[in-house]
Amino acid sequence: MMPPNNAFASQALPPHSSASVLLSKGVTRLEGILKLTTAILALAAGVYTYLGVRELLNGSPTTVLFAALIYSVAVSVGIYAFWVFLMQFMPHVVGTGRGLMFGCMLLGSLMIVAMSSWLNASALAGAAAIQQHLAITVQDYTRDLNTANTNAIAAQGLLPDIQLASSRFTRLADAERAGSLTGTAGSGTVVQLLTQMAGQLDSLGQQVQESAKRVSGLYEQGGKSLAKMRELISDRGPIAARSDAFASESLAVMGVIANLQQTSVAPAVKRAATSLSSGFIAPAAGGRTADLADRQTAVVGKVEGSIATQAQSLADAADKILAMPHVEPARFQTLSPAEAVLRYASDFIPSWAGAISIDLMPAVLVLILCVVHAAIRREGMPVVSASTITAGELVAALQIAREVADARRGVEEAKPAPKPEPEPKLEPEPAPVIAEEPKPTVPEENVTSLSSARHTK
């Protein structure tokens, strides 16, 4: 007689029992896959943990190698053991113990994130985080360089006013040579005064122009450093070497910004304007006659008032330039990949999600096992059935059954024998009267035939 196949066996069982058998068989078949999957995920977490922790250690290459390797192996073993323990015990714990198991899983997950996930994120996105740090630093230096350059060239706006004032005094001196101011032609005291003021303003204008050339040269130098820093960001070489070269260029940019702030000609304009008004000394009239001397004195007074007005205008313009905020460039700070990932964590959420998922993916498998085993218990079918039990499990079950039977037999033998109960005394009953049955009578014919038969024999 052939054994029934799976189809007939499933038809013979109730629906719930059939589903329980299928679920229990599926759990049995997937035990090896679950352990293999957990081992691969733990190995991946260990590899990325090794890459992340290696950037944090200092010392000789051999020391760093062994220290990072030992730490990563410990992390892999811990992650694998933790999830395997949960897969083995958590699906079978019910009641209040299930809540405690969930608490253990949450605590273990937090510990895994603390010791592995952030290092995984450092390995996955550490170089990108450092590149972002360099890019943000370049933006800050570009802003500071532009601000310092703006402050330095702001004094160039004073150059037209200085040139106009100088040309005005020059024209007045030319006019006075023809006698337009004092009424007497010649190169006397007024012409010398006007020529002197025009010369001072021309000298100040030349300083402003020279300052513009220096500012332009410094700004061009800073632009070259910034271009080099951008090339280092977009390069494909090791991020540590690029970061060191970037730090050198950042020092050059900071020096350029400091020089730009010192090159500004606004303080010189302010000092020159102050000296024009406060340091003005009216020359003595050199006219040959008293009338000419009086007219020269009057013109010198007007020139003094004009110089004071022009000096006040230049001083006010210089004060506005000096009132601009002073640029304080931020000093570049070198970061490790782990520090960069933590500082710019909000910009690398996908990398963080991937790093955490590598470590916590087995949690989904644990929850699936809990659901499956709960369904098996709810349908009233044991996880192990007669069709799935192995020979070793059968021998162990028989041994346990024999031990239980022997223990039960020993308990029964150890019990004391029950005491016999006394028989109750009964009064003798009268003997029953037995009626004698009538003896059967044999007919004589039969007797005669029997006796003749005996004689014949």
Side-chain angles (χ1 to χ4, degrees):
M1 182 175 180
M2 297 180 62
N5 55 19
N6 293 334
F8 289 108
S10 62
Q11 291 177 2
L13 293 173
H16 295 292
S17 300
S18 176
S20 300
V21 171
L22 293 177
L23 290 176
S24 62
K25 288 182 178 180
V27 171
T28 303
R29 287 194 301 267
L30 293 176
E31 284 182 356
I33 297 177
L34 288 175
K35 292 182 180 180
L36 179 61
T37 302
T38 305
I40 293 175
L41 291 174
L43 179 62
V47 170
Y48 285 106
T49 301
Y50 168 79
L51 296 176
V53 75
R54 189 179 59 181
E55 300 294 335
L56 301 178
L57 300 177
N58 294 322
S60 63
T62 304
T63 303
V64 171
L65 174 64
F66 279 102
L69 185 61
I70 292 172
Y71 184 85
S72 61
V73 169
V75 168
S76 298
V77 173
I79 292 175
Y80 178 77
F82 174 73
W83 291 120
V84 168
F85 270 60
L86 286 180
M87 290 178 186
Q88 187 69 28
F89 299 121
M90 189 169 179
H92 306 289
V93 178
V94 295
T96 57
R98 177 60 63 86
L100 295 177
M101 292 298 291
F102 272 110
C104 293
M105 185 173 71
L106 178 60
L107 178 61
S109 299
L110 293 177
M111 295 176 67
I112 289 173
V113 171
M115 70 180 182
S116 175
S117 296
W118 72 285
L119 293 173
N120 297 348
S122 173
L124 290 172
I130 293 180
Q131 285 184 346
Q132 181 167 351
H133 177 59
L134 300 182
I136 292 176
T137 304
V138 166
Q139 293 178 1
D140 295 339
Y141 281 138
T142 302
R143 181 198 60 217
D144 295 340
L145 181 63
N146 291 332
T147 303
N149 182 66
T150 301
N151 294 344
I153 64 176
Q156 307 303 318
L158 302 177
L159 182 60
D161 295 337
I162 296 173
Q163 291 177 344
L164 287 175
S166 176
S167 62
R168 179 185 177 191
F169 286 122
T170 301
R171 288 195 302 270
L172 289 175
D174 293 338
E176 173 59 18
R177 287 188 181 92
S180 299
L181 299 180
T182 58
T184 303
S187 299
T189 302
V190 175
V191 173
Q192 294 177 0
L193 177 61
L194 292 175
T195 303
Q196 180 182 358
M197 292 297 102
Q200 292 181 2
L201 292 174
D202 285 338
S203 177
L204 183 60
Q206 291 178 0
Q207 292 181 9
V208 173
Q209 290 179 350
E210 291 176 358
S211 173
K213 295 179 180 179
R214 291 195 300 270
V215 169
S216 178
L218 290 173
Y219 186 73
E220 183 179 356
Q221 181 181 351
K224 291 180 180 179
S225 298
L226 291 175
K228 180 63 176 178
M229 294 164 74
R230 294 188 182 94
E231 291 178 0
L232 292 172
I233 294 174
S234 60
D235 196 5
R236 294 296 180 182
I239 191 63
R242 287 187 285 157
S243 181
D244 294 339
F246 187 92
S248 300
E249 295 296 333
S250 67
L251 292 177
V253 173
M254 291 177 63
V256 169
I257 293 174
N259 289 332
L260 282 174
Q261 296 184 109
Q262 295 175 359
T263 306
S264 176
V265 77
V269 173
K270 176 66 180 295
R271 291 191 297 269
T274 302
S275 64
L276 284 176
S277 59
S278 61
F280 177 79
I281 299 176
R288 293 184 295 273
T289 61
D291 180 54
L292 179 59
D294 292 339
R295 283 182 282 138
Q296 287 178 342
T297 302
V299 172
V300 168
K302 292 180 180 180
V303 171
E304 181 181 3
S306 177
I307 291 173
T309 302
Q310 188 65 44
Q312 185 62 39
S313 177
L314 291 176
D316 293 340
D319 288 335
K320 292 181 180 180
I321 296 173
L322 294 175
M324 292 181 177
H326 189 74
V327 179
E328 292 291 342
R331 186 176 297 275
F332 173 68
Q333 181 181 1
T334 304
L335 298 179
S336 65
E339 293 173 337
V341 168
L342 292 177
R343 175 175 294 188
Y344 303 102
S346 60
D347 298 327
F348 295 94
I349 294 178
S351 298
W352 275 97
I356 295 175
S357 298
I358 292 177
D359 294 333
L360 303 187
M361 180 63 187
V364 180
L365 304 179
V366 173
L367 296 178
I368 292 174
L369 285 176
C370 292
V371 173
V372 172
H373 282 272
I376 294 174
R377 286 192 297 269
R378 184 171 58 253
E379 295 171 1
M381 188 69 181
V383 176
V384 179
S385 62
S387 61
T388 60
I389 192 170
T390 62
E393 293 173 348
L394 179 60
V395 172
L398 293 176
Q399 181 66 27
I400 293 173
R402 282 194 297 269
E403 293 177 357
V404 171
D406 294 340
R408 185 178 299 172
R409 190 180 303 109
V411 171
E412 291 178 356
E413 292 176 356
K415 291 182 179 179
K419 296 181 180 180
E421 298 181 358
E423 296 181 356
K425 297 181 179 180
L426 300 176
E427 296 181 359
E429 297 181 357
V433 180
I434 301 173
E436 295 181 358
E437 296 181 357
K439 296 180 180 181
T441 57
V442 179
E444 294 180 358
E445 297 177 357
N446 296 337
V447 173
T448 305
S449 60
L450 291 172
S451 59
S452 60
R454 291 175 182 172
H455 288 292
T456 304
K457 292 178 180 181

